[in-house]
Each structure stands twice: as structure tokens, then as C-alpha cells.
Amino acid sequence: MKYKEYSKEIWNRINSTLDYALAKDSEPIAAFDADGTLWDTDLGESFFQYQIDHKLISLPDSPWEFYQELKKKDPSEAYLWLAQINHGQKLDVVHQWAERALEASAPVPLFEEQKKIVELFLSKGVKVFIITASVKWAVEPGAKILGLGRDSVIGIETQIENDLITQKQKGIITYQMGKVEALLERTNGKKPFFASGNTMGDFQLLNSASGLALAVSAANQDDRLFRAENDLQAIAEQKAWVRHRFI
């Protein structure tokens, strides 16, 4: 699909905000949500489907229905569960699965304009983070496409003991305000000068940006994400954030 490019006005705001941030800090922070913000797919759920299709882990009957019901009850619990189902596996093995899952769904529908921002920021010494409510291990291969390492991804994960993944939660659940808390924990309290997201789950992250917040959207009206994206677009208009529809 051909996605709409950013206007000259949007690029002017990005560049001027970047210049201002660099004048105050030689290594400012930028934060992006992952799924729906950097690419037009959900790498976390795609990885889950890959695990189902290839029977890689033990799962309940009707695993998608189980996950969706859990998500209705408590999204945080559902997102953590997608990491917990990997318990007993070596992390290296899960990394391999994630790489293969990405390859199986290639090419990844990147938002090229977002990739350009990441490349610009990296060229200027900006520290770029991806903050996701998806399983960290599932998103890391996507980060690699953007020139970012695994350490740049902050997401849902569980503890490793004796070289094996456990069911014990590791760190903050990176959902809603948890995204901000996890980022600030990593940056020793330094707020991002720039933040970008696509749904209301990213509102707090965008609201934490000291310089520029960018709300993006690509969901059609019949897409399950449309309402959450549309609500964020409305708030972005109220708060004079930068907003953009890719389609």
C-alpha cells in the first residue's frame, strides 16, 4: 500500500523541534510506539499466530479466543500472558522464532515517513526507543529493520532463570501510563522531546513529550483499531499536536 507522506509543515515542525532539543541536550530522547505507529501490522499478535501455526508452545484450546477474552477482562494481564506462554524456552530460541515469524510475513509494511524520522534522529545522536505493549522479543526484529538494537525496545517480558524464560513478570507493564514509567526508568527520568503513537493506549506517552507529539493513524473504519486511533486524533487536534492519516 502507498501511504501518504508527511506535509512540508510537519517536517518543518519535526526539524525545528529537533534543532531546539539538540541545542539543549547532545543526546535527547525520542519514543515511538511500535504496532500501528512504525508499521501497519501488529508484530506481537503476528508472532502469537506464528507460534500457534507451528505448534511451538503449549496453549489452551482456541488460543485466540482465550487471549481476546483475557484482553477484555484486563489488557495488561493479556499482554503479559503472551510473554508467559514462552516459559521453559531458551531466550535464544524465542529470538529465532521471532525472526522467522517476521520473515514469514515479509515484507513488513513500514511507514516510510516514520522510518525517515528514525533515521534523521539517529544521524543527529538522538537516543531512540520503541515502547510497546507487545512482547519485547516479538518486536525486536522490527526494530532491527529500522537500524535499532534489541536494547532500544522496551516491551512486555518475563524473567530469565537458569537460561530459561519464566512466567514471572519482569519490569513494568508497558501499557498506557506504564509506557511512560518504563521509559523514564530506562532514561533515569529524562523525558522524550518527541513521542509518536497511534491509539489511546499511547496517549500518556505522547503527553509526556516535552517538544513534539505526533499522532498517526492508518486504520479503516471497519478496523478494530479505528475508534482508538480516531479518539487519539481528536485529542491531538485539541492539544495542537501534530497528527497525520497515512491513508
Side-chain angles (χ1 to χ4, degrees):
M1 179 182 289
K2 176 67 174 177
Y3 298 110
K4 289 171 60 177
E5 297 179 350
Y6 291 149
S7 65
K8 182 179 179 181
E9 289 73 21
I10 289 178
W11 278 112
N12 285 341
R13 286 194 65 179
I14 292 169
N15 281 297
S16 61
T17 305
L18 174 59
D19 289 343
Y20 183 74
L22 289 169
K24 298 191 300 179
D25 185 350
S26 61
E27 193 177 62
I29 303 295
F32 293 81
D33 168 53
D35 303 320
T37 296
L38 292 169
W39 37 72
D40 194 10
T41 188
D42 190 313
L43 292 186
E45 294 189 349
S46 293
F47 180 53
F48 181 41
Q49 185 63 57
Y50 181 86
Q51 291 178 301
I52 295 171
D53 293 343
H54 292 79
K55 299 179 173 60
L56 299 176
I57 51 177
S58 298
L59 289 167
D61 294 335
S62 304
W64 265 106
E65 288 79 0
F66 182 89
Y67 165 64
Q68 292 295 346
E69 286 302 314
L70 201 59
K71 195 173 178 181
K72 289 177 185 177
K73 175 185 172 185
D74 184 350
S76 295
E77 184 177 344
Y79 299 145
L80 178 61
W81 180 74
L82 289 180
Q84 291 173 324
I85 57 179
N86 295 283
H87 70 93
Q89 301 292 337
K90 290 187 175 182
L91 184 57
D92 286 348
V93 171
V94 175
H95 282 155
Q96 292 172 11
W97 291 348
E99 292 281 356
R100 291 171 188 164
L102 189 76
E103 292 169 1
S105 61
V108 176
L110 288 175
F111 295 126
E112 290 296 331
E113 296 295 271
Q114 294 286 64
K115 184 181 179 183
K116 289 177 185 176
I117 296 177
V118 171
E119 291 172 344
L120 171 64
F121 287 172
L122 292 177
S123 74
K124 299 292 186 178
V126 175
K127 187 72 172 175
V128 177
F129 289 99
I130 298 175
I131 322 295
T132 178
S134 290
V135 175
K136 170 180 164 65
W137 314 313
V139 173
E140 289 170 344
K144 185 178 179 181
I145 296 175
L146 298 171
L148 298 170
R150 288 173 177 163
D151 287 345
S152 297
V153 180
I154 303 173
I156 307 294
E157 55 184 324
T158 56
Q159 296 179 27
I160 309 296
E161 294 180 359
N162 300 319
D163 199 33
L164 297 176
I165 294 171
T166 72
Q167 293 184 314
K168 300 175 184 177
Q169 177 182 329
K170 179 180 178 182
I172 298 165
I173 296 295
T174 43
Y175 175 60
Q176 295 184 339
M177 193 61 196
K179 290 193 172 189
V180 179
E181 293 169 352
L183 176 63
L184 295 180
E185 182 178 74
R186 178 69 68 86
T187 65
N188 294 317
K190 184 192 287 190
K191 291 184 177 181
F193 83 95
F194 173 96
S196 182
N198 69 308
T199 69
M200 288 302 297
D202 304 316
F203 167 75
Q204 291 89 346
L205 181 64
L206 270 64
N207 203 42
S208 74
S210 62
L212 184 66
L214 170 60
V216 298
S217 173
N220 292 307
Q221 290 192 8
D222 58 350
D223 192 296
R224 61 186 175 85
L225 287 179
F226 180 78
R227 181 174 179 179
E229 287 194 346
N230 199 49
D231 287 348
L232 187 65
Q233 289 286 311
I235 288 178
E237 183 177 16
Q238 294 171 7
K239 297 178 76 67
W241 291 346
V242 175
R243 56 196 180 96
H244 179 76
R245 281 277 291 166
F246 283 115
I247 61 173

